[in-house]
């Protein structure tokens, strides 16, 4: 395990370096000094595929909580389709890549200049396979992307200077569980999920995207929907063990993809699992708050059957919201707050990369400010 995590530290770091290598050119006015270490890859676009951890407003207004108050109260100040009080993983990764958070597929016709930042194809609730929602699964999301390439909305050059973020699979397992499992058994189902996911990653790269970052699955057993049974005191170890198997299979699949992709490591794993865990364990994170009761969500239904954002027939709100979302890691029963995502993002960066660069004595400044 130690060896593997070190390996992923290095590969994540190379990924960050290769992105950072482009910062100087892209952000000419930046006062930060950055080294050109790994060639001159200059990411100019971010393409995003996945579920609610990445969706910035594709999901349908009539069906999703993300379009109801109090979602979006921190950013942009009203519900706007993000499953959080504010920003989500996509926004932080875009910041890192050096582009504005890409326009949603839903708004592609009105994207205008914003198409220059790439596009977000992620839909809350979706999976590698069809889940409990009707929204497009990952294959269909990539079909949308391919169609836009066919229509020359994005060119070869665009793709060569682009990065993809892929984050999903939690809903595949939720759907599997909701259906009471299948004859298949969970380990075999996981193999199916990861094999299909790997095919999708390969397809995105095959369409011309230079670097493809895929997230390891977060510790599902630590989500408030699981920890509610212990009054938000304890993660469900059974569920986390299952997640670890998914993540191991994903590591193996990605290693295989990289051994085939010729020169540079085209595929990178962003380890959401360990970054969630380290934040939830309240390990010291430079520049980041500690969360008082990290497993307890900020926004909750007042009783069974109600959710964050629920109202009764008369429009009376049937949920409670904590006073200060900044001090909560989780926003609702599944999703982090903006502060939670920021801490996760810092953990991803700081733990796997800056520490490494410090040990290599490199002067590398990464702006981890909050001004997305
Ligand atoms: C994705 O969704 C489409 C449309 O529902 C379906 O035809 C296809 O089989 C799905 N793909 C996977 C891999 O489940
Ligand atoms: C894009 O074009 C290729 C080549 O013509 C074709 O095979 C593919 O089906 C098209 N994809 C979509 C989603 O339209
Ligand atoms: C943990 O999760 C498993 C699978 O969802 C479930 O069967 C079990 O009851 C849970 N354990 C606790 C202590 O909540
Ligand atoms: C790797 O390349 C070999 C030979 O071209 C091919 O048979 C195999 O399917 C590829 N594996 C992956 C994971 O792409
Ligand atoms: C850097 O990484 C090493 C080895 O993984 C670890 O022992 C050390 O505590 C880390 N330092 C910081 C500042 O995180």
């Amino acid at each position: 395990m130690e060896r593997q995590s070190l390996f992923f530290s290095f590969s994540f770091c190379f990924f960050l370096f290769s992105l950072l290598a482009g910062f100087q050119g892209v952000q000419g006015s930046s006062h930060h000094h950055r080294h050109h270490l790994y060639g001159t890859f200059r990411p100019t676009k971010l393409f995003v595929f996945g579920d609610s951890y990445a969706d910035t407003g594709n999901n349908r207004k009539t069906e999703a909580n993300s379009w109801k108050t109090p979602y979006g109260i921190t950013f942009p100040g009203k519900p706007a389709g993000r499953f959080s009080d504010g920003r989500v993983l996509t926004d932080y990764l875009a910041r890192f890549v050096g582009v504005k958070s890409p326009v949603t597929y839903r708004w592609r016709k009105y994207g205008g200049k914003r198409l220059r930042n790439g596009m977000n194809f992620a839909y809350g609730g979706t999976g590698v396979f069809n889940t409990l929602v009707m929204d497009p699964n990952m294959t269909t999301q990539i079909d949308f992307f391919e169609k836009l390439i066919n229509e020359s909305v994005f060119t070869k050059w665009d793709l060569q200077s682009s990065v993809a973020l892929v984050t999903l699979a939690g809903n595949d397992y939720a759907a599997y569980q909701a259906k009471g499992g299948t004859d298949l058994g969970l380990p075999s189902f996981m193999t199916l999920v990861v094999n299909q996911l790997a095919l999708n990653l390969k397809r995105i790269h095959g369409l011309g995207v230079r670097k493809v970052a895929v997230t390891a699955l977060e510790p599902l057993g630590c989500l408030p929907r699981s920890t509610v049974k212990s009054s938000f005191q304890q993660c469900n170890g059974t569920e986390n063990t299952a997640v670890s198997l998914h993540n191991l299979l994903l590591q193996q699949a990605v290693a295989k993809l990289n051994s085939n992709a010729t020169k540079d490591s085209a595929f990178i794993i962003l380890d959401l699992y360990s970054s969630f865990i380290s934040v939830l364990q309240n390990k010291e994170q430079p520049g980041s708050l500690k969360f008082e009761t990290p497993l307890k969500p900020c926004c909750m239904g007042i009783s069974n059957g109600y959710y964050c954002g629920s109202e009764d027939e008369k429009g009376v709100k049937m949920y409670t919201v904590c006073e200060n979302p900044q001090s909560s890691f989780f926003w609702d029963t599944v999703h982090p707050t903006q502060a939670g995502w920021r801490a996760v993002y810092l953990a991803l960066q700081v733990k796997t990369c800056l520490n490494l660069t410090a040990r290599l004595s490199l002067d590398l400044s990464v702006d981890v400010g909050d001004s997305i």
Side-chain angles (χ1 to χ4, degrees), residues 107-120:
W107 291 110
R108 65 194 173 282
K109 295 230 164 57
Y110 312 97
K113 281 185 185 164
R114 288 196 61 200
L115 292 177
R116 73 160 68 125
N117 302 312
M119 193 168 282
N120 187 346

Side-chain angles (χ1 to χ4, degrees), residues 177 221 226-227 229-230 234-239:
Q177 214 171 22
S226 290
T227 63
K229 285 185 195 151
S230 66
Q234 267 186 329
C235 299
N236 183 317
T238 313
E239 290 175 345

Side-chain angles (χ1 to χ4, degrees), residues 253-274:
V254 164
K256 221 186 255 173
L257 288 172
N258 275 330
S259 69
N260 267 18
T262 46
K263 354 181 240 308
D264 49 354
S265 290
F267 303 92
I268 296 294
I269 292 182
L270 302 182
D271 193 353
L272 277 195
Y273 189 94
S274 69

Side-chain angles (χ1 to χ4, degrees), residues 24-151:
Q24 266 179 331
V26 174
Q27 298 190 326
S29 64
S30 170
H31 59 278
H32 294 300
H33 180 70
R34 289 180 169 106
H35 286 267
H36 277 265
L37 279 176
Y38 295 95
T40 54
F41 175 42
R42 296 177 180 200
T44 61
K45 288 182 173 51
L46 176 65
F47 295 103
V48 183
F49 305 88
D51 60 22
S52 55
Y53 276 13
D55 188 352
T56 52
N58 276 317
N59 58 92
R60 282 172 293 177
K61 286 193 176 181
T62 48
E63 285 173 26
N65 280 7
S66 63
W67 290 99
K68 293 180 184 153
T69 310
Y71 285 79
I73 51 169
T74 303
F75 172 84
K78 59 173 193 212
R82 283 178 175 78
F83 291 81
S84 173
D85 64 311
R87 296 171 178 89
V88 296
L89 181 61
T90 299
D91 303 305
Y92 284 101
L93 205 75
R95 165 80 181 157
F96 190 82
V97 169
V99 301
K100 291 209 168 104
S101 199
V103 70
T104 53
Y105 177 71
R106 170 205 269 276
W107 291 110
R108 65 194 173 282
K109 295 230 164 57
Y110 312 97
K113 281 185 185 164
R114 288 196 61 200
L115 292 177
R116 73 160 68 125
N117 302 312
M119 193 168 282
N120 187 346
F121 297 92
Y123 283 80
T126 61
V128 170
F129 298 116
N130 288 342
T131 56
L132 303 171
V133 300
M134 300 292 290
D135 286 318
N137 61 34
M138 190 180 175
T139 303
T140 308
Q141 292 175 24
I142 303 172
D143 289 343
F144 292 161
F145 181 42
E146 189 180 286
K147 187 152 180 288
L148 293 178
I149 295 169
N150 283 0
E151 292 166 356

